[in-house]
Amino acid sequence: MEDTLTLPYSAAAAKAPIKRIPVAVLGATGSVGQRFVQLLDGHPWFKLHEVVASERSAGKPYGEAADWRLDTLMPNDASALPVKPLGVELQSRLVFSGLDSSVAGEAEDEYANRGSVVVSNSRNHRMDADVPLLIPEINADHVGIIEHQQKRRGGRGYIVTNPNCSTIGLTLAIAPIERLYGIEAIHVTTMQAISGAGYSGVASYAILDNVIPFISGEEPKIESEPRKILGRLENDGFIDAPFRISAQTNRVPTIDGHLMTISLSLRSRNFVNLDQVREAIDNFRGEPQHLHLPSAPRKPLHYVDGDDRPQPRLDRDRERGMSVSVGRLRPCPLLDLRMVALVHNTIRGAAGAAILNAELLEARGLL
Amino acid sequence: MEDTLTLPYSAAAAKAPIKRIPVAVLGATGSVGQRFVQLLDGHPWFKLHEVVASERSAGKPYGEAADWRLDTLMPNDASALPVKPLGVELQSRLVFSGLDSSVAGEAEDEYANRGSVVVSNSRNHRMDADVPLLIPEINADHVGIIEHQQKRRGGRGYIVTNPNCSTIGLTLAIAPIERLYGIEAIHVTTMQAISGAGYSGVASYAILDNVIPFISGEEPKIESEPRKILGRLENDGFIDAPFRISAQTNRVPTIDGHLMTISLSLRSRNFVNLDQVREAIDNFRGEPQHLHLPSAPRKPLHYVDGDDRPQPRLDRDRERGMSVSVGRLRPCPLLDLRMVALVHNTIRGAAGAAILNAELLEARGLL
Amino acid sequence: MEDTLTLPYSAAAAKAPIKRIPVAVLGATGSVGQRFVQLLDGHPWFKLHEVVASERSAGKPYGEAADWRLDTLMPNDASALPVKPLGVELQSRLVFSGLDSSVAGEAEDEYANRGSVVVSNSRNHRMDADVPLLIPEINADHVGIIEHQQKRRGGRGYIVTNPNCSTIGLTLAIAPIERLYGIEAIHVTTMQAISGAGYSGVASYAILDNVIPFISGEEPKIESEPRKILGRLENDGFIDAPFRISAQTNRVPTIDGHLMTISLSLRSRNFVNLDQVREAIDNFRGEPQHLHLPSAPRKPLHYVDGDDRPQPRLDRDRERGMSVSVGRLRPCPLLDLRMVALVHNTIRGAAGAAILNAELLEARGLL
Amino acid sequence: MEDTLTLPYSAAAAKAPIKRIPVAVLGATGSVGQRFVQLLDGHPWFKLHEVVASERSAGKPYGEAADWRLDTLMPNDASALPVKPLGVELQSRLVFSGLDSSVAGEAEDEYANRGSVVVSNSRNHRMDADVPLLIPEINADHVGIIEHQQKRRGGRGYIVTNPNCSTIGLTLAIAPIERLYGIEAIHVTTMQAISGAGYSGVASYAILDNVIPFISGEEPKIESEPRKILGRLENDGFIDAPFRISAQTNRVPTIDGHLMTISLSLRSRNFVNLDQVREAIDNFRGEPQHLHLPSAPRKPLHYVDGDDRPQPRLDRDRERGMSVSVGRLRPCPLLDLRMVALVHNTIRGAAGAAILNAELLEARGLL
């Protein structure tokens, strides 16, 4: 097997904590929650200690409460953990949230106010003025806002978030170009996998031999989140990056992996050099790579050669699903550049992103 | 059943010829050829008289030579016809071509030079200076170039062509907007069905649980053909419409129906009124409707309400696959407008388009 | 288009009622209910008069209450009908039931006791001692039990049922062989389409790139219902046919059409002649054909040549989905014969079967 | 990740050769050949030394000649190897053959006659009287025939083969039952993945929303090979096991993993105890487990609980695709037992099986 797909967590990670930090997962029986449980198995820094779900599951062992749907077996340790009800007092300070957005807003606030560090994949607090929306390769410095948030909450607790699954793919793919030339406008059309909607989110009758040109609430997220992520943290708040975004989202019959076609217009369009862009993508590194965080891919972006790449089934699992693949970079007859990007929506685009965020917090001494 | 889906050929068609015109189909055993044979069955004006294929099939009855793959049975009349070899003298003057582009260029020229009217679905002659590239609802007047072509060939024969499958969907969808406001630029991303590549064109191993962000040769066609179609025929040649197009094409696991997201910038953007655009789309009519051509849809464009429409499986068969569906019309944060369009790629986008072209020629007295 | 796929309802139907009979559909917003509404549109004998659904939908126009998912448009007449709540007094005596089995048992009994003729697709009353389980081509004489049922209910009302979707395909396919040689044992493995589970029955995450070797409650139905259908009605009750059945059921990623491999052992195995069996299948006719019932296929069974047929996508729509296709008849190294059969599960296997049953009742003067 | 899915090759393997044995792969650019190349990467005993393909590819580096389609990257070492033409003299004595059956028969014979040990996945020599058809957990003793074959060839070369992909799943699943009770008859219906036909074997147009109830040449293989495998090697030849088999094969739209429903009648049917059968399946071990061969799964058979298991997408990768999963064991109303089995067709059912065979040969001192 190719190494980048089977790499276990890096043994060389700097600053590893002396003993593994106990963590809780909120919404542990759902699809994002199951990914948290899967990815935490064997994690060198974190140890799954508590699983939290709705009242209905509370009291049952996790192995019984969760209708496990991933293609690896449920970790034995997780299976025996008793499910705790949402709202209960937790022993772990570090809390991953895979809660549904219908309950995440209030529940995450409550835990943060009680002192928890809530690392959330939910959309509810992403755009809050004092909550960082993190892609650690891009805006690790946005953790600087945390002390403002702690002040507001009057304690040590706080929330950090990761972006929407498509936003992560898009923003990582354009970040090196933004640094190189500055971006003025982004036009993106996504072709998103069914797993993005959770296990029961898309009926097979709706999607077999079909494409659905609409995903509820998705376009506004993609049109706003990248501006916060690529924006600046100044004294006491975020200043959005000034580019405009048009996003058109589609659901296609793939299982995992959001593919997107991207066109960009640049600020300094006179000097665009495709080879330079390609190199900037492939050589892109950020703080997770410098800090050797355990979940950090060796390369956050892989430029894939070949006219017809990246493709979801062939490229989504690169570096355990933590790398974004980019290909087909070429001039756009309308804007300046165009290209194709792919992100594994439930790993780099969800649970894996949150775990990487938590690793950043630990490495920065914020836990 | 809903009427627009089961309408037989219209009995009310004006100018019906007194007896049915015999026609030949070139490349009759291929996927486009089979659609010709299917759609010609029961046609009120045309009667399938000759089937032409490669040397390998010649001499066999069509029922034996063709590996029939459509979901209706092979018409009995067609089944008994002997397959003739490409290049043979034909008895029918009207010739439909579903030839592969590797042989279509020369073969179609040869037949036209001998006096045939070649109505082709192949790409080879689409951009020729004296060959009309027709969407009869839009540019029926482009048949005016035919006399120039006949002069060049020194006889009564000529070639007319229909556009690429995606081009037809795109160009029909934007035509009413071009008339209303003028178009300056088009940004389109397609999600195309596997049938567009012929029966063996896409291996199942390549496309199941996957999207392929590349279709060989497709983007240049979509970026050029609409300019000819929406251009003007002046004294002795075509003048392209001046807009620019950026097309990004993808193959998705659907069987029939090319879906596309479209963004437009307009010339007179100050006066854009979405309701007016929606009405212009839904009320769009052209010469096939005025002439009551047998294959003409009642409405070439259907504006489909509902946030998540059109969808390939639900909307591709409207008006026997001859209508293009449009939905999700809304402002674009980057250009002016955006919307979603769908075309049945093997009917309106291929064989059905060619048959409609031939009907136009007959109604205009050009056969 | 091939005629058997586009045939409208037969104009030649004998005994057509003078004016169309008003009918109600119970469970009209569900997937079977929508098929009823679709198939009743343009029906020569029946006219959709009332639509009934759960309390939640009651009062709304049908066009608003139903989340229409079929690939033809909702009939205009149906769209305007107000949805009535289950249990309400109905004006139509003839009532089609597409109710979910969780409520069908009681509701159907209640309407039958009040005098309705309930033609049900639900499983609840199929095996009741005085309820006919009809495939009109096979056991039209089983309507003889109706008078016993009416006596029990103390009125003119009664229930008739059609079998499970897979049972219909299996039983039709073997009926001519049962008549010819007698059947001793049946071994069947099904590969069933997702539409059999209703629109939301199978999550896409569960079935894409997958097969599920289990369908809840399905195997016992297939192992019992054929014995009642091919059994005899004697004085006051049904006597099951004596063969044994082993059914193994699987869900596969097809949209419509249940495919099954069948092996049979025969009573008189010394005289098996494959040509004779093939002819018996292809020549099989029953009372719906003799009575020219409007929904009756010309041929209830089509023997399809070709090693690799029948196939769901290519053969499910024969005769508007009302015919069962059979192929690959050959000796079985273990039992005596084996073959492949295909039934359109939501037409011949559900709503279409019920409508054919109602036509039989009308033709027999039982309405 | 669950351990059984990510286990690297076992470090504890007994009898490891002192240095890695150089091997050649015939048909290295095809789909089975690519799996060989993938699975040999990092193999503790074998080292890919030569890649052989058709004249057309000869001379090119493998990385250029092979259209790599697996979802891991091509191993770097393989990429640089020059492709040699079929028939060329090889430096490696151990030769894996993934040749197409159109050329495998002659080419494998030629190499064996020249002294090579040919470990073949092709069907051509499977039923030869002096060629072992191996599933090492079942009939490792069949290697005893090799000396007869060497005599016939007049040298040290010989051929060993592994069974057809479906045969391997079926035969492993029933082997413990054969040992326990003796098997009299087998009825099997398969639902086979598209990868079984090679990358271009099944057109997407043929299989999307479809099932094809026929796989050319497959049923005779499944009906004969298990009898040789479960048969006995006596003095100078194989004696087939006496049971009869009926196989019905279907192609379904899954990517990897052949699922099958199996019914069995037993010799000693009076004493059937389902719990005992289940334990016999789960406890089944063979020589690869006793010898700790590097590719040997810890358990060749996994009994999977849950009504709806095994499923291709969820269970095919158990123990790196080398284990067969069994579930739904229950009585059969017709024969005695029935159950469901699943095999990863391109790993345990093809390249992985051949590599395990080669490991057995090395451990037995036969290389």
Side-chain angles (χ1 to χ4, degrees):
Chain A
M1 308 280 173
E2 203 276 327
D3 67 345
T4 58
L5 293 177
T6 55
L7 263 184
Y9 286 109
S10 164
K15 288 177 180 254
I18 288 163
K19 56 179 287 188
R20 291 203 289 161
I21 300 165
V23 305
V25 172
L26 309 183
T29 56
S31 62
V32 176
Q34 292 189 14
R35 274 287 185 200
F36 275 123
V37 170
Q38 183 196 46
L39 295 177
L40 287 168
D41 185 45
H43 194 282
W45 292 7
F46 304 135
K47 183 175 172 46
L48 181 64
H49 186 64
E50 292 163 288
V51 288
V52 179
S54 66
E55 201 60 57
R56 190 168 40 80
S57 301
K60 295 182 195 163
Y62 182 70
E64 191 183 308
D67 181 14
W68 188 259
R69 301 288 187 96
L70 299 175
D71 54 7
T72 58
L73 302 187
M74 182 187 287
N76 283 329
D77 293 353
S79 176
L81 290 176
V83 176
K84 301 186 172 181
L86 190 61
V88 80
E89 198 69 35
L90 294 172
Q91 296 164 339
S92 319
R93 185 169 175 238
L94 178 55
V95 175
F96 291 104
S97 169
L99 288 172
D100 188 81
S101 58
S102 60
V103 298
E106 213 169 315
E108 292 174 5
D109 258 339
E110 191 185 322
Y111 279 110
N113 290 340
R114 288 195 217 161
S116 299
V117 174
V118 179
V119 179
S120 172
N121 179 61
S122 300
R123 66 171 167 74
N124 307 59
H125 294 290
R126 282 181 194 152
M127 303 305 280
D128 289 2
D130 59 7
V131 170
L133 179 58
L134 293 173
I135 298 180
E137 280 89 346
I138 297 175
N139 65 346
D141 62 300
H142 284 200
V143 299
I145 199 76
I146 287 173
E147 56 184 312
H148 289 80
Q149 193 190 146
Q150 288 173 318
K151 251 176 238 161
R152 170 170 62 91
R153 298 192 188 275
R156 295 173 55 233
Y158 61 90
I159 296 173
V160 304
T161 61
N162 58 266
N164 165 276
C165 43
S166 290
T167 300
I168 294 179
L170 172 64
T171 313
L172 268 170
I174 64 171
I177 305 175
E178 161 74 2
R179 289 186 189 170
L180 204 57
Y181 297 114
I183 289 174
E184 199 172 84
I186 303 168
H187 195 288
V188 61
T189 291
T190 67
M191 289 157 278
Q192 303 189 205
I194 54 166
S195 60
Y199 297 136
S200 310
V202 181
S204 56
Y205 193 85
I207 199 68
L208 268 177
D209 181 20
N210 208 10
V211 174
I212 303 173
F214 178 70
I215 299 173
S216 181
E218 194 82 353
E219 292 169 0
K221 289 178 212 161
I222 304 176
E223 292 177 352
S224 59
E225 294 177 6
R227 302 182 60 209
K228 179 170 181 178
I229 299 162
L230 285 166
R232 298 192 317 280
L233 173 61
E234 301 225 327
N235 304 327
D236 44 3
F238 297 111
I239 297 175
D240 279 359
F243 47 72
R244 281 170 304 141
I245 305 172
S246 171
Q248 290 162 286
T249 56
N250 301 277
R251 188 74 71 192
V252 296
T254 52
I255 296 170
D256 288 312
H258 290 355
L259 191 76
M260 56 195 85
T261 58
I262 302 170
S263 290
L264 299 172
S265 63
L266 307 177
R267 283 189 202 291
S268 49
R269 67 187 62 176
N270 295 325
F271 310 104
V272 174
N273 175 320
L274 288 184
D275 289 337
Q276 198 179 20
V277 173
R278 209 175 289 115
E279 271 168 42
I281 289 170
D282 218 50
N283 293 331
F284 183 72
R285 301 290 184 280
E287 195 152 329
Q289 286 72 42
H290 304 139
L291 294 172
H292 297 288
L293 300 182
S295 297
R298 196 169 43 86
K299 294 168 52 176
L301 292 169
H302 285 242
Y303 191 86
V304 189
D305 290 317
D307 273 350
D308 61 354
R309 301 290 280 265
Q311 294 178 19
R313 205 174 82 233
L314 300 184
D315 295 304
R316 64 193 171 203
D317 286 330
R318 282 174 187 268
E319 305 217 30
R320 289 163 295 116
M322 288 299 287
S323 277
V324 167
S325 297
V326 178
R328 296 205 74 203
L329 181 74
R330 59 206 197 285
C332 177
L334 214 60
L335 309 185
D336 295 308
L337 287 181
R338 49 187 178 172
M339 60 189 188
V340 175
L342 171 76
V343 60
H344 193 304
N345 55 300
T346 66
I347 299 181
R348 183 68 205 214
I355 292 176
L356 187 65
N357 282 353
E359 292 167 3
L360 175 72
L361 298 176
E362 167 63 15
R364 290 275 195 125
L366 290 162
L367 286 191
Chain B
M1 307 281 174
E2 203 276 328
D3 67 344
T4 59
L5 293 178
T6 57
L7 263 184
Y9 286 110
S10 165
K15 290 179 179 251
I18 289 163
K19 55 178 288 191
R20 291 202 290 160
I21 299 166
V23 306
V25 171
L26 309 183
T29 55
S31 61
V32 176
Q34 292 189 15
R35 273 287 185 201
F36 275 123
V37 170
Q38 183 195 47
L39 295 176
L40 287 168
D41 185 44
H43 194 282
W45 291 7
F46 305 135
K47 183 175 171 46
L48 182 64
H49 186 63
E50 292 162 290
V51 287
V52 180
S54 66
E55 201 59 58
R56 192 166 40 80
S57 300
K60 295 183 195 163
Y62 182 70
E64 192 183 305
D67 181 15
W68 188 258
R69 301 290 185 93
L70 299 176
D71 55 4
T72 58
L73 302 187
M74 181 187 287
N76 283 329
D77 293 353
S79 175
L81 289 176
V83 175
K84 301 186 174 182
L86 190 61
V88 81
E89 197 69 34
L90 295 171
Q91 297 163 340
S92 319
R93 183 164 178 245
L94 178 55
V95 175
F96 290 104
S97 168
L99 289 172
D100 188 80
S101 58
S102 60
V103 296
E106 214 169 313
E108 292 175 5
D109 259 339
E110 191 185 322
Y111 279 110
N113 290 340
R114 289 196 217 160
S116 299
V117 174
V118 179
V119 179
S120 172
N121 179 61
S122 300
R123 65 171 168 76
N124 307 59
H125 295 290
R126 282 180 195 153
M127 303 305 280
D128 289 2
D130 60 7
V131 169
L133 180 58
L134 293 174
I135 298 179
E137 281 89 347
I138 297 175
N139 65 345
D141 62 301
H142 284 200
V143 299
I145 200 77
I146 288 172
E147 55 184 312
H148 289 78
Q149 194 191 145
Q150 287 173 319
K151 251 177 240 161
R152 169 169 64 91
R153 299 191 189 275
R156 295 172 55 232
Y158 61 89
I159 296 173
V160 303
T161 61
N162 58 266
N164 165 276
C165 44
S166 291
T167 299
I168 294 180
L170 172 64
T171 313
L172 269 171
I174 64 172
I177 305 175
E178 161 74 1
R179 289 186 190 171
L180 205 58
Y181 297 114
I183 289 174
E184 200 172 83
I186 302 168
H187 195 289
V188 61
T189 292
T190 67
M191 290 156 277
Q192 304 190 204
I194 54 165
S195 61
Y199 296 136
S200 309
V202 182
S204 56
Y205 193 85
I207 199 69
L208 269 177
D209 180 22
N210 208 11
V211 173
I212 303 173
F214 178 70
I215 298 173
S216 180
E218 194 82 354
E219 292 168 0
K221 291 178 210 160
I222 304 175
E223 292 177 352
S224 60
E225 294 178 5
R227 302 183 59 208
K228 178 170 181 179
I229 300 162
L230 285 166
R232 299 192 318 279
L233 173 61
E234 302 225 326
N235 305 328
D236 45 3
F238 296 110
I239 297 175
D240 279 359
F243 47 73
R244 280 170 306 140
I245 305 172
S246 169
Q248 290 163 286
T249 56
N250 301 277
R251 187 74 70 192
V252 296
T254 53
I255 295 170
D256 289 312
H258 290 355
L259 191 76
M260 55 195 87
T261 58
I262 302 171
S263 290
L264 299 172
S265 63
L266 307 176
R267 284 188 202 293
S268 50
R269 67 186 62 174
N270 295 324
F271 310 104
V272 174
N273 174 322
L274 287 184
D275 289 336
Q276 199 179 19
V277 174
R278 210 176 288 116
E279 272 167 41
I281 289 170
D282 219 48
N283 293 331
F284 182 72
R285 301 291 185 278
E287 197 153 327
Q289 286 71 42
H290 304 139
L291 294 173
H292 296 287
L293 300 182
S295 296
R298 196 169 44 83
K299 295 167 53 177
L301 292 169
H302 285 242
Y303 190 87
V304 190
D305 289 319
D307 272 351
D308 60 354
R309 301 289 280 265
Q311 294 177 19
R313 205 174 82 233
L314 300 184
D315 295 304
R316 64 192 169 202
D317 286 330
R318 282 173 186 268
E319 304 218 30
R320 289 163 294 114
M322 287 299 287
S323 279
V324 167
S325 297
V326 179
R328 297 205 74 203
L329 183 74
R330 60 207 196 284
C332 177
L334 213 59
L335 309 185
D336 295 308
L337 288 181
R338 49 187 178 171
M339 60 190 188
V340 175
L342 172 75
V343 61
H344 193 305
N345 55 300
T346 66
I347 299 180
R348 182 71 205 214
I355 292 176
L356 187 65
N357 282 353
E359 292 168 4
L360 176 72
L361 298 176
E362 167 62 16
R364 289 276 194 125
L366 290 162
L367 286 192
Chain C
M1 307 280 173
E2 202 276 328
D3 67 344
T4 58
L5 293 178
T6 56
L7 265 184
Y9 286 109
S10 164
K15 289 178 180 254
I18 289 162
K19 55 178 289 191
R20 290 202 291 161
I21 299 165
V23 305
V25 171
L26 308 183
T29 55
S31 61
V32 176
Q34 292 189 15
R35 274 286 185 201
F36 275 124
V37 170
Q38 182 196 47
L39 295 176
L40 288 168
D41 185 44
H43 194 282
W45 292 7
F46 305 135
K47 183 175 171 48
L48 182 64
H49 186 64
E50 293 162 289
V51 287
V52 180
S54 66
E55 202 59 57
R56 191 168 39 79
S57 301
K60 296 183 193 161
Y62 182 71
E64 191 184 306
D67 181 13
W68 189 259
R69 302 289 185 94
L70 298 176
D71 54 6
T72 57
L73 302 187
M74 183 187 288
N76 284 330
D77 294 352
S79 176
L81 290 176
V83 175
K84 301 187 172 181
L86 190 61
V88 81
E89 198 69 35
L90 295 172
Q91 296 164 339
S92 319
R93 184 166 176 242
L94 179 55
V95 175
F96 290 104
S97 168
L99 289 172
D100 188 81
S101 58
S102 60
V103 297
E106 214 170 313
E108 292 175 4
D109 259 338
E110 191 185 322
Y111 279 110
N113 289 340
R114 289 194 217 160
S116 300
V117 173
V118 179
V119 179
S120 171
N121 179 61
S122 299
R123 66 170 166 75
N124 307 59
H125 295 290
R126 282 181 194 152
M127 303 305 280
D128 288 2
D130 58 8
V131 170
L133 180 58
L134 292 174
I135 298 179
E137 281 89 347
I138 297 176
N139 65 346
D141 62 301
H142 284 201
V143 299
I145 199 78
I146 289 172
E147 54 184 313
H148 289 79
Q149 192 190 146
Q150 287 173 318
K151 251 176 239 161
R152 170 169 64 92
R153 298 192 188 276
R156 293 173 55 232
Y158 61 90
I159 296 173
V160 303
T161 60
N162 58 264
N164 165 277
C165 44
S166 290
T167 300
I168 293 180
L170 171 65
T171 313
L172 269 170
I174 64 171
I177 305 176
E178 160 74 1
R179 288 185 190 171
L180 205 57
Y181 298 114
I183 289 174
E184 200 172 82
I186 302 168
H187 195 288
V188 61
T189 291
T190 67
M191 289 157 277
Q192 304 190 205
I194 54 166
S195 60
Y199 296 136
S200 310
V202 182
S204 57
Y205 193 85
I207 199 68
L208 269 177
D209 180 21
N210 209 11
V211 173
I212 304 174
F214 178 70
I215 299 173
S216 181
E218 194 82 354
E219 292 169 359
K221 290 178 211 161
I222 304 175
E223 292 178 352
S224 59
E225 294 177 6
R227 302 183 60 209
K228 179 171 181 178
I229 300 162
L230 285 167
R232 298 193 316 280
L233 173 61
E234 301 224 328
N235 304 328
D236 44 4
F238 297 111
I239 297 175
D240 279 0
F243 47 72
R244 281 170 304 140
I245 305 172
S246 170
Q248 290 163 287
T249 57
N250 300 278
R251 188 74 71 194
V252 297
T254 53
I255 296 169
D256 288 313
H258 290 355
L259 191 76
M260 55 194 88
T261 57
I262 302 171
S263 291
L264 299 172
S265 62
L266 307 177
R267 282 188 203 294
S268 49
R269 67 186 62 175
N270 295 324
F271 311 104
V272 174
N273 175 321
L274 287 185
D275 289 337
Q276 199 179 18
V277 173
R278 209 175 288 114
E279 273 168 41
I281 288 170
D282 219 48
N283 293 330
F284 183 72
R285 301 291 183 278
E287 197 152 326
Q289 286 71 40
H290 304 139
L291 295 172
H292 296 287
L293 300 182
S295 296
R298 195 169 45 84
K299 293 166 52 175
L301 292 169
H302 285 242
Y303 190 87
V304 190
D305 290 319
D307 272 353
D308 60 354
R309 300 290 279 266
Q311 294 178 19
R313 206 176 80 232
L314 300 184
D315 295 303
R316 63 192 171 204
D317 286 331
R318 283 172 186 268
E319 305 216 31
R320 289 163 294 116
M322 288 298 286
S323 278
V324 167
S325 298
V326 178
R328 295 205 76 204
L329 182 74
R330 58 206 198 283
C332 177
L334 213 60
L335 309 185
D336 295 308
L337 288 181
R338 47 187 179 173
M339 59 190 190
V340 175
L342 172 75
V343 61
H344 193 305
N345 55 300
T346 66
I347 300 181
R348 181 71 205 213
I355 292 176
L356 187 65
N357 283 353
E359 292 168 3
L360 176 73
L361 298 176
E362 167 62 14
R364 290 275 196 126
L366 290 162
L367 287 190
Chain D
M1 308 280 172
E2 203 275 329
D3 68 342
T4 58
L5 294 177
T6 55
L7 263 183
Y9 287 110
S10 164
K15 288 177 180 257
I18 288 163
K19 56 178 287 189
R20 290 204 290 161
I21 299 166
V23 304
V25 171
L26 309 182
T29 56
S31 62
V32 176
Q34 292 189 14
R35 274 286 186 201
F36 275 124
V37 170
Q38 182 195 47
L39 295 176
L40 287 168
D41 186 44
H43 193 282
W45 292 8
F46 305 135
K47 182 174 173 47
L48 181 64
H49 186 64
E50 292 162 289
V51 287
V52 179
S54 66
E55 201 60 57
R56 189 167 42 79
S57 301
K60 296 182 194 163
Y62 182 71
E64 191 184 306
D67 181 14
W68 188 258
R69 302 288 186 94
L70 298 176
D71 54 6
T72 58
L73 302 187
M74 182 187 288
N76 284 330
D77 294 352
S79 177
L81 290 176
V83 175
K84 302 187 172 181
L86 189 61
V88 80
E89 197 69 35
L90 294 171
Q91 296 165 338
S92 319
R93 184 167 175 239
L94 178 56
V95 175
F96 290 104
S97 168
L99 289 172
D100 187 80
S101 58
S102 61
V103 297
E106 213 169 314
E108 292 174 5
D109 259 338
E110 192 185 322
Y111 279 110
N113 289 340
R114 288 196 217 158
S116 299
V117 173
V118 180
V119 179
S120 172
N121 180 60
S122 301
R123 65 171 167 75
N124 307 59
H125 293 292
R126 281 181 195 153
M127 304 305 280
D128 289 2
D130 59 7
V131 169
L133 180 58
L134 293 174
I135 298 179
E137 281 89 347
I138 297 176
N139 65 346
D141 62 300
H142 284 200
V143 299
I145 199 77
I146 288 172
E147 54 184 312
H148 289 79
Q149 194 190 145
Q150 287 173 318
K151 253 175 237 162
R152 168 168 64 89
R153 299 191 188 275
R156 293 173 57 233
Y158 61 90
I159 298 172
V160 303
T161 61
N162 59 263
N164 165 277
C165 44
S166 291
T167 299
I168 293 179
L170 172 64
T171 312
L172 269 170
I174 65 171
I177 305 176
E178 161 75 0
R179 288 186 189 170
L180 205 56
Y181 297 115
I183 289 174
E184 199 173 82
I186 303 168
H187 195 289
V188 61
T189 291
T190 67
M191 289 157 277
Q192 303 189 206
I194 54 165
S195 61
Y199 296 136
S200 309
V202 182
S204 56
Y205 193 85
I207 199 69
L208 268 178
D209 181 21
N210 208 10
V211 174
I212 303 173
F214 178 69
I215 298 172
S216 180
E218 194 82 354
E219 293 169 0
K221 288 177 211 160
I222 304 176
E223 292 177 351
S224 60
E225 293 176 5
R227 301 182 61 209
K228 178 170 181 178
I229 300 162
L230 284 166
R232 298 192 317 279
L233 173 61
E234 301 224 326
N235 304 328
D236 44 4
F238 297 110
I239 297 175
D240 278 359
F243 46 73
R244 280 171 305 140
I245 306 172
S246 170
Q248 290 162 287
T249 57
N250 301 277
R251 187 74 70 193
V252 297
T254 53
I255 296 170
D256 288 312
H258 291 355
L259 192 74
M260 55 195 86
T261 58
I262 302 170
S263 290
L264 299 172
S265 63
L266 307 176
R267 283 188 203 292
S268 49
R269 66 187 62 175
N270 295 324
F271 310 103
V272 174
N273 176 320
L274 288 183
D275 289 336
Q276 197 179 19
V277 173
R278 208 175 289 116
E279 273 168 39
I281 289 171
D282 219 48
N283 293 329
F284 183 72
R285 301 289 185 280
E287 196 152 328
Q289 286 71 41
H290 303 140
L291 294 172
H292 297 287
L293 299 183
S295 296
R298 198 169 42 85
K299 294 167 53 178
L301 293 168
H302 284 242
Y303 191 87
V304 189
D305 290 318
D307 272 351
D308 61 355
R309 301 289 280 266
Q311 294 178 20
R313 205 175 80 233
L314 300 185
D315 295 303
R316 63 193 170 202
D317 286 330
R318 281 173 188 268
E319 304 216 31
R320 288 163 294 116
M322 288 298 287
S323 278
V324 167
S325 297
V326 178
R328 294 205 76 205
L329 182 74
R330 59 206 198 284
C332 177
L334 215 59
L335 308 185
D336 295 308
L337 288 181
R338 48 187 179 172
M339 59 189 189
V340 174
L342 171 76
V343 60
H344 193 305
N345 54 300
T346 67
I347 300 180
R348 182 70 205 215
I355 292 175
L356 187 65
N357 283 352
E359 292 167 3
L360 176 72
L361 297 176
E362 166 64 14
R364 289 276 195 126
L366 290 162
L367 287 191

